[in-house]
Amino acid sequence: MLFVVFVFVMLGLLEIDIIQRNLASEGGATGTRLVSTCREIAHKLRKYMAVRTLMSLLTGLAVWAFTALIGLELAPAWGVITFALNYIFIGPLVAALLPTVFSLVQYGSFRTAATVFIGMNLIQFFSGSYIEPRFAGATLAISPFAILLAVFFRGFMWGLAGAFIGVQLTIAAFTICEQSPSTRWIAQILSGRRVTG
């Protein structure tokens, strides 16, 4: 499944300039509006990836500080591993389990291992379920609830691949809804902002 998605994305990226020129020259007003919508989606996706990078970096730094405070060996490595795993959406569980098992080996104490496990999960929970959705929502003008729902719903439907692309699909759908007067109300509801007027 992931290989098929990868092939389609690569083939699509090879033809992006051709499609853009064809839409602009042959598509009339609809083609021009579609090119403009695609540019807006690309702009928002770049902003989201910047937010994702920053939040993964902050989570990695928090894990590094926590593991260093506990005295766990390889604290910088745990921070880097957490950053990498968090960035690709498989971090919360794996990034918590690896240092937990390592602390059990290093200290031989289930109490210390439980402390590491709880601390790592608290960091991951606040970062991934509270801070990042709120920060991404404020940056992209999308409700943090919609962002969390996108990750969990798409993850439930399509597994890891769905969790990985859930927010991106929601950003694209949100932007498309913004462009049309008949669907703008959907974008206003999902924006998480109070509508005035």
Side-chain angles (χ1 to χ4, degrees):
M1 176 76 175
L2 288 176
F3 178 73
V4 173
V5 171
F6 178 75
V7 169
F8 276 112
V9 168
M10 289 298 106
L11 291 174
L13 288 175
L14 291 173
E15 296 181 9
I16 196 163
D17 290 334
I18 297 167
I19 293 171
Q20 182 177 349
R21 279 195 302 274
N22 289 345
L23 278 173
S25 63
E26 303 295 330
T30 303
T32 304
R33 189 169 59 238
L34 187 56
V35 169
S36 172
T37 301
C38 289
R39 284 188 180 141
E40 182 66 21
I41 290 170
H43 174 70
K44 287 185 176 183
L45 288 177
R46 283 191 296 271
K47 284 172 80 172
Y48 171 70
M49 291 313 293
V51 168
R52 185 96 188 118
T53 302
L54 177 64
M55 292 311 301
S56 294
L57 181 63
L58 291 176
T59 304
L61 288 172
V63 165
W64 167 72
F66 173 72
T67 53
L69 182 68
I70 288 207
L72 198 61
E73 292 178 11
L74 306 173
W78 298 125
V80 171
I81 290 169
T82 300
F83 165 78
L85 294 177
N86 213 44
Y87 197 75
I88 58 173
F89 286 99
I90 61 171
L93 181 62
V94 178
L97 286 178
L98 291 175
T100 301
V101 171
F102 189 83
S103 69
L104 187 60
V105 171
Q106 179 180 338
Y107 293 110
S109 165
F110 285 104
R111 180 178 289 178
T112 305
T115 302
V116 170
F117 184 74
I118 291 169
M120 296 290 286
N121 279 302
L122 285 174
I123 291 169
Q124 294 286 356
F125 175 78
F126 282 113
S127 173
S129 299
Y130 182 74
I131 299 170
E132 183 175 341
R134 292 185 65 82
F135 189 56
T139 303
L140 300 168
I142 299 177
S143 165
F145 174 76
I147 290 174
L148 272 178
L149 182 64
V151 172
F152 288 114
F153 178 72
R154 302 258 198 257
F156 174 74
M157 295 298 291
W158 299 331
L160 182 60
F164 186 71
I165 63 170
V167 175
Q168 292 86 335
L169 289 175
T170 302
I171 290 168
F174 178 79
T175 306
I176 291 168
C177 288
E178 281 181 325
Q179 304 303 314
S180 173
S182 63
T183 57
R184 196 166 291 138
W185 65 273
I186 297 170
Q188 288 174 343
I189 289 172
L190 292 177
S191 71
R193 291 183 286 183
R194 184 179 298 231
V195 179
T196 57

